[in-house]
Amino acid sequence: MNPLARLPRAAQGLAYAILAGLILTSMNAVMRVLTHSMDVYQAQFLRYFMGLVVMLPLIMRDGIVAYRPHGMAGQAWRGLVHTAGLSLWFTSLPHIPMADLTALSFTTPIFIMLGAVVFLKEKAVWQRWVAAAIGFAGVIVVVAPRMSGEGGIYNFIMLGSAPLFAASFLITKALTKRDSPQVIVVWQSITVSIFSLPLALPGWVWPDAAQWGMVLVCGLMGSLGHFCMTRS
């Protein structure tokens, strides 16, 4: 039995969001190490392809029909938007410190809040705007000293991924009204793998055993993290 099921709905969402943050942050650290020895777009493709591989036992157990989405257009758009964000994110990953990576990731919730207000017509109380402003100020304090010079461009590229990830999250939120978290995570892996493959092929070098191990771990952590994020 899921121990989080006993919690109130809002507390469940918070708990899943915290779990997603912990898992995905750990995965990011492994991916950063991996991209120092592998083409970044190959790492991007393998991360999501292995995310699909680790879910194959569940798909085989439940049957393919159980993972058929209610409409392919939403899944395809989500995969395309997410791939665009990932391409910017992976381009920057080997070039910026983990501290900057973590700080810049905090801008994504700000874009999610803005998008929810503009596109989903959700109400945002003033406390959220204050929290968003404080969060953005914190990002500037951490990142601003390194925004100039050779590495500065990669901080801007990483920042550019934030609104794309926010858009992906908002599409996911709309998809949860008709598809289960399992279906959404599976189709994210499928669509991102398809869209990432053309980027990965030009620089492809067959991974060694250690690299296969890392992408397998990242695939498992990524799928679990996105499942928690979708549940939140």
Side-chain angles (χ1 to χ4, degrees):
M1 181 178 178
N2 184 355
L4 298 181
R6 301 178 181 178
L7 298 175
R9 188 175 181 85
Q12 288 185 40
L14 180 60
Y16 276 117
I18 293 173
L19 281 173
L22 291 172
I23 294 169
L24 294 176
T25 299
S26 300
M27 183 201 70
N28 291 344
V30 179
M31 289 301 311
R32 189 171 188 276
V33 173
L34 183 63
T35 54
H36 284 293
S37 60
M38 178 185 290
D39 178 78
V40 292
Y41 304 119
Q42 180 180 349
Q44 174 180 319
F45 165 76
L46 287 174
R47 144 70 186 96
Y48 280 86
F49 179 75
M50 295 306 290
L52 176 62
V53 169
V54 299
M55 289 185 288
L56 285 178
L58 297 177
I59 298 173
M60 295 175 65
R61 183 196 66 184
D62 300 332
I64 296 177
V65 175
Y67 290 87
R68 182 179 297 169
H70 293 84
M72 278 299 304
Q75 302 292 344
W77 273 112
R78 197 245 176 157
L80 182 61
V81 171
H82 203 75
T83 302
L86 285 169
S87 299
L88 297 178
W89 191 87
F90 271 92
T91 298
S92 304
L93 184 59
H95 303 283
I96 64 175
M98 278 298 298
D100 288 11
L101 169 65
T102 304
L104 288 167
S105 70
F106 291 151
T107 62
T108 299
I110 298 174
F111 288 109
I112 291 173
M113 187 184 71
L114 292 171
V117 171
V118 174
F119 297 108
L120 302 183
K121 308 303 180 183
E122 293 186 0
K123 294 182 179 180
V125 296
W126 66 269
Q127 291 93 335
R128 291 185 180 180
W129 292 110
V130 172
I134 294 173
F136 187 75
V139 172
I140 296 300
V141 169
V142 173
V143 177
R146 287 183 285 271
M147 293 298 275
S148 60
E150 183 179 352
I153 184 63
Y154 291 106
N155 284 294
F156 282 109
I157 294 173
M158 180 68 74
L159 183 61
S161 70
L164 292 169
F165 286 142
S168 173
F169 181 88
L170 294 173
I171 296 172
T172 301
K173 186 172 183 179
L175 291 175
T176 56
K177 296 178 180 179
R178 61 190 188 192
D179 290 318
S180 68
Q182 295 93 322
V183 171
I184 292 171
V185 173
V186 165
W187 278 96
Q188 178 186 14
S189 294
I190 293 172
T191 55
V192 172
S193 296
I194 292 172
F195 291 132
S196 297
L197 182 58
L199 301 174
L201 289 177
W204 186 276
V205 176
W206 198 255
D208 59 29
Q211 291 171 328
W212 277 119
M214 284 192 284
V215 294
L216 179 60
V217 169
C218 288
L220 178 61
M221 296 175 71
S223 293
L224 182 58
H226 281 289
F227 173 79
C228 291
M229 185 182 297
T230 305
R231 286 294 300 266
S232 71

